[in-house]
Amino acid sequence: MVNLELYRVFYTVARCGSLTKAAEELFISQPAVSQAIKQLENQLGTALFNRTHKGMELTAQGGEVVFHDIERALQLLNGVEDRLAELKNSPAGTLRIGASETIFQYCLADKLVNFHKMYPQVKFELVSDVSPKTIEQLKTDRIDIGFLNLPIEEDPDVRITDSIMLLNDVFVAGRAFEHLKGKELSVWDLQNYPLLLMEQRTVARNAVEHFAKSVGVTLSPAIEIDSWGFMKNLVAEGMGVGCIPREYALRRIGEGQLFELNVTPAMPSRSVGMALPKNAAPSFALRAFIKLFGAEKAFSQ
């Protein structure tokens, strides 16, 4: 295995022409410098320096042969370190963000626009998937930050904030169920109507099933849906009663295509959380993006 520190010592000695000066520049002892040179010479199988009364001179068949290659290699490595330092201290590079399509649309769109206005040089890579897969992408370094539907099972390798946005699940219907507008309904009454629910093993479906179970009701969907947009379309066309976060249906409700049913008891709020790999050191761009949500303190530990 290549020991880069040995090459750094070699380069410093060659540049300074003295073990003493090299030791001072490297902040190590002169014997440590001498030992490093001997170790590198043994490793390469050739003498790198001639020890003279004037100091250290590169050998024609050893030190002079490798000096310029080592110099270029160290310059490249220093350039890598400088670029990484720049990412940590200036807005640059690419910000990889994972979330569901709905979270991108309703929770992140405005933030992405505002961030781009502040830091136009930062590029976005948006990865759309369900929350469990977003966590896996965080753990495998395919994204820098994830946004998740909560609650979700904890993972020891991921840090999650409690909430960046509240979601309030409500039951909605279209004009075909106009007779229900303003009518007081119980969760039990919902069993009398065709229900449109998100597909199984989603956070939204788990939330509504847990809620129904807590009040002693089993809600069986007439249709299972895989996207909120499709659900809103089907509900507006009279296919049944849908369960959707109010925040995702506000425009359709405002336009009169949908209306909210007066169902008691109301479902408890849930939320969208932000997640980072537990031991990651966020770049400047990532810290600036997190700041838009007022969540920087949650990830400062």
Side-chain angles (χ1 to χ4, degrees):
M1 181 179 292
V2 175
N3 187 334
L4 292 176
E5 286 308 309
L6 297 182
Y7 288 96
R8 291 186 190 278
V9 172
F10 163 81
Y11 178 70
T12 305
V13 172
R15 188 165 44 79
C16 293
S18 164
L19 293 175
T20 301
K21 291 180 180 179
E24 291 174 353
E25 186 170 319
L26 293 167
F27 299 100
I28 59 178
S29 68
Q30 182 174 327
V33 173
S34 181
Q35 181 61 37
I37 295 300
K38 289 180 181 179
Q39 186 176 343
L40 184 58
E41 288 178 329
N42 290 335
Q43 183 175 307
L44 297 178
T46 187
L48 299 173
F49 291 97
N50 291 318
R51 281 75 170 170
T52 71
H53 67 281
K54 293 181 180 180
M56 303 290 284
E57 294 181 352
L58 292 172
T59 60
Q61 299 302 317
E64 290 183 3
V65 173
V66 300
F67 176 79
H68 292 295
D69 287 338
I70 291 173
E71 182 178 45
R72 284 194 295 271
L74 292 176
Q75 287 173 346
L76 285 173
L77 288 173
N78 289 335
V80 170
E81 292 175 353
D82 290 343
R83 284 193 291 276
L84 290 175
E86 182 181 356
L87 285 176
K88 291 182 179 179
N89 297 289
S90 64
T94 300
L95 197 53
R96 303 172 301 167
I97 303 171
S100 69
E101 182 180 343
T102 307
I103 290 176
F104 274 124
Q105 181 178 355
Y106 292 99
C107 303
L108 302 182
D110 290 345
K111 295 291 192 298
L112 293 172
V113 171
N114 292 338
F115 186 86
H116 179 68
K117 290 178 179 178
M118 292 187 291
Y119 306 109
Q121 61 273 50
V122 178
K123 298 178 181 179
F124 289 122
E125 181 180 330
L126 307 181
V127 181
S128 180
D129 218 322
V130 295
S131 293
K133 290 187 178 179
T134 295
I135 287 183
E136 289 304 312
Q137 289 159 352
L138 275 173
K139 294 167 62 177
T140 53
D141 192 36
R142 282 178 283 175
I143 57 175
D144 304 307
I145 186 169
F147 293 85
L148 315 170
N149 284 303
L150 302 181
I152 197 167
E153 186 176 350
E154 292 187 7
D155 190 292
D157 298 320
V158 176
R159 291 179 291 168
I160 303 175
T161 64
D162 290 336
S163 174
I164 61 162
M165 178 180 181
L166 286 178
L167 298 177
N168 296 279
D169 291 307
V170 295
F171 292 92
V172 295
R175 295 188 182 94
F177 294 87
E178 195 83 19
H179 60 284
L180 297 178
K181 184 176 290 188
K183 183 178 179 180
E184 290 189 7
L185 300 170
S186 71
V187 180
W188 285 88
D189 293 328
L190 295 175
Q191 298 175 104
N192 299 321
Y193 305 99
L195 291 177
L196 281 68
L197 301 179
M198 290 298 284
E199 60 187 3
Q200 291 184 344
R201 294 182 295 278
T202 60
V203 173
R205 179 66 174 274
N206 290 340
V208 69
E209 288 183 344
H210 180 77
F211 165 71
K213 185 177 180 180
S214 71
V215 295
V217 179
T218 299
L219 296 179
S220 299
I223 304 175
E224 292 182 325
I225 310 294
D226 64 356
S227 77
W228 295 119
F230 190 35
M231 177 182 289
K232 286 183 287 188
N233 289 339
L234 292 183
V235 172
E237 292 298 326
M239 294 291 289
V241 172
C243 183
I244 185 171
R246 180 187 293 118
E247 293 74 13
Y248 295 173
L250 286 176
R251 184 178 65 82
R252 296 273 190 130
I253 291 173
E255 293 173 350
Q257 298 178 33
L258 303 176
F259 65 90
E260 184 177 335
L261 300 181
N262 182 17
V263 177
T264 56
M267 288 183 62
S269 297
R270 52 191 181 88
S271 59
V272 173
M274 181 189 300
L276 288 175
K278 182 153 288 184
N279 297 317
S283 65
F284 179 97
L286 183 52
R287 295 197 305 271
F289 189 66
I290 291 171
K291 193 173 182 179
L292 293 179
F293 299 87
E296 61 270 23
K297 290 183 179 179
F299 294 128
S300 63
Q301 300 296 323

